[in-house]
Amino acid sequence: MSAIGQLVLSALRCAAVMALAWMAGTVGQARADEAIEIFDAHLHYNWEPKPHYSIDEVLALFRKHRVTGILATSRPNTGTHALMDAKPQGLQIVPFIRPYRVRADIQTWFGDPFIFDLVQDEFKRGYYRGIGEFHISGKAADTEWVKKTVDFAVEHDLYLHAHADDVAVEILMRHNPRARIIWAHTGFSLSTDRVAEMLTKYPKLWGELSYRGGITDGGGKLTAEWRALFESFPDRFLLGSDTWINERWDSYGEIMAGYRAWLTQLPPKVAAQVAHGNARALFGGER
């Protein structure tokens, strides 16, 4: 090959290398700019008597806001059945049994043997991964039917999703130390010191952060207390929308954007764990 030919070949090779580097940089930037995926670990698709949004509409909402997994519950459980029947691609659905037929059951389920029958009947569907979200406060957790529910969950390798104060969580754990509990709202406004104490004491307790106060200050900055908590327990927190009323569905995008605003203030590895990694670790990564 002539000297000129060699120069041309060398120039072409250099251009190709530069093009590949540019493409890699562009792809990397696109990935960096892409919104972090979120696993919504507190979702209600209530069916009373019909849902606010259709199945197609909620699935479109998840795609739009890059929600790639959901912990699905409904009151009654009809909504969860519908989500499971849809079998959407690209969305991991983790169904939990809701121990409610109607809203009034919130106040009485823990003393109602019929609810325990409901839980056992629903479980026969074969796909449930947990029980909840259920509401329990203080010593109301110390009943025969709550203990039966906790023991049933442990026996069948199910998680419990408890909307509870710290007193009730302690009682649930005393019912059966092998219980695995997702703590809805992580105590709402409970001090971070007490949250840390609970997470330290109970290795099978995870905090879900919908409606949780104090994570950011008035300007949207992650507080020092919560930054320390996330960095001390990076594998113990989950995110959730808590779509318990229609207004929460209508503001779904804002809820997810609110999470992403403070997730970007965490180290990337920790942010990824909280956003979706911890849920995948608990429930498996299949979709």
Side-chain angles (χ1 to χ4, degrees):
M1 181 181 293
S2 68
I4 293 177
Q6 289 178 343
L7 286 172
V8 171
L9 182 60
S10 177
L12 288 172
R13 286 173 176 168
C14 183
V17 169
M18 291 177 66
L20 288 171
W22 178 84
M23 289 172 64
T26 301
V27 170
Q29 183 62 41
R31 288 175 179 168
D33 291 342
E34 190 175 24
I36 190 170
E37 68 175 279
I38 287 178
F39 189 109
D40 185 345
H42 188 153
L43 184 124
H44 303 300
Y45 188 48
N46 291 334
W47 205 284
E48 301 171 317
K50 62 180 182 179
H52 182 55
Y53 289 151
S54 70
I55 285 285
D56 288 344
E57 288 171 328
V58 298
L59 295 180
L61 201 61
F62 299 146
R63 288 192 296 270
K64 178 179 180 181
H65 298 292
R66 205 170 182 234
V67 170
T68 56
I70 58 172
L71 193 164
T73 74
S74 67
R75 186 183 63 239
N77 290 286
T78 311
T80 303
H81 304 163
L83 285 167
M84 292 298 291
D85 290 344
K87 297 180 174 62
Q89 291 187 344
L91 180 72
Q92 181 183 0
I93 300 176
V94 179
F96 274 36
I97 302 167
R98 198 96 197 267
Y100 304 151
R101 300 153 298 179
V102 295
R103 183 165 177 77
D105 287 336
I106 292 173
Q107 306 298 328
T108 60
W109 75 271
F110 42 86
D112 187 346
F114 181 87
I115 295 298
F116 187 63
D117 290 340
L118 179 155
V119 169
Q120 294 177 94
D121 287 343
E122 277 293 322
F123 179 72
K124 293 174 184 176
R125 289 180 174 269
Y127 51 54
Y128 284 107
R129 303 293 304 279
I131 302 170
E133 178 206 18
F134 55 80
H135 298 69
I136 199 77
S137 180
K139 293 184 178 179
D142 198 10
T143 72
E144 173 190 3
W145 296 108
V146 174
K147 178 169 173 48
K148 283 180 179 290
T149 302
V150 175
D151 288 341
F152 183 86
V154 171
E155 179 185 357
H156 296 285
D157 197 28
L158 302 174
Y159 292 88
L160 296 164
H161 190 188
H163 175 133
D165 57 16
D166 54 330
V167 174
V169 170
E170 298 247 33
I171 293 171
L172 294 173
M173 289 296 193
R174 284 204 300 271
H175 282 322
N176 194 320
R178 293 163 55 206
R180 296 179 298 170
I181 298 176
I182 296 169
W183 191 7
H185 319 299
T186 317
F188 286 103
S189 59
L190 198 67
S191 73
T192 51
D193 287 343
R194 178 59 173 154
V195 172
E197 180 184 356
M198 293 287 285
L199 294 176
T200 301
K201 185 175 181 179
Y202 300 112
K204 295 180 181 179
L205 178 67
W206 292 266
E208 181 273 313
L209 298 170
S210 61
Y211 283 105
R212 172 62 229 199
I215 296 176
T216 59
D217 62 19
K221 183 179 179 181
L222 191 65
T223 63
E225 294 82 6
W226 273 92
R227 176 182 294 277
L229 204 56
F230 289 135
E231 293 181 351
S232 298
F233 301 94
D235 58 344
R236 304 290 291 283
F237 291 101
L238 310 168
L239 304 181
S241 61
D242 192 8
T243 48
W244 67 286
I245 52 176
N246 293 341
E247 287 77 8
R248 297 288 286 183
W249 280 111
D250 293 336
S251 59
Y252 195 84
E254 288 82 356
I255 294 168
M256 295 300 120
Y259 282 134
R260 289 186 172 105
W262 60 254
L263 284 169
T264 60
Q265 300 173 48
L266 286 170
K269 182 178 179 181
V270 176
Q273 285 181 273
V274 175
H276 57 85
N278 294 334
R280 302 285 185 210
L282 293 183
F283 306 124
E286 73 279 358
R287 298 183 190 175

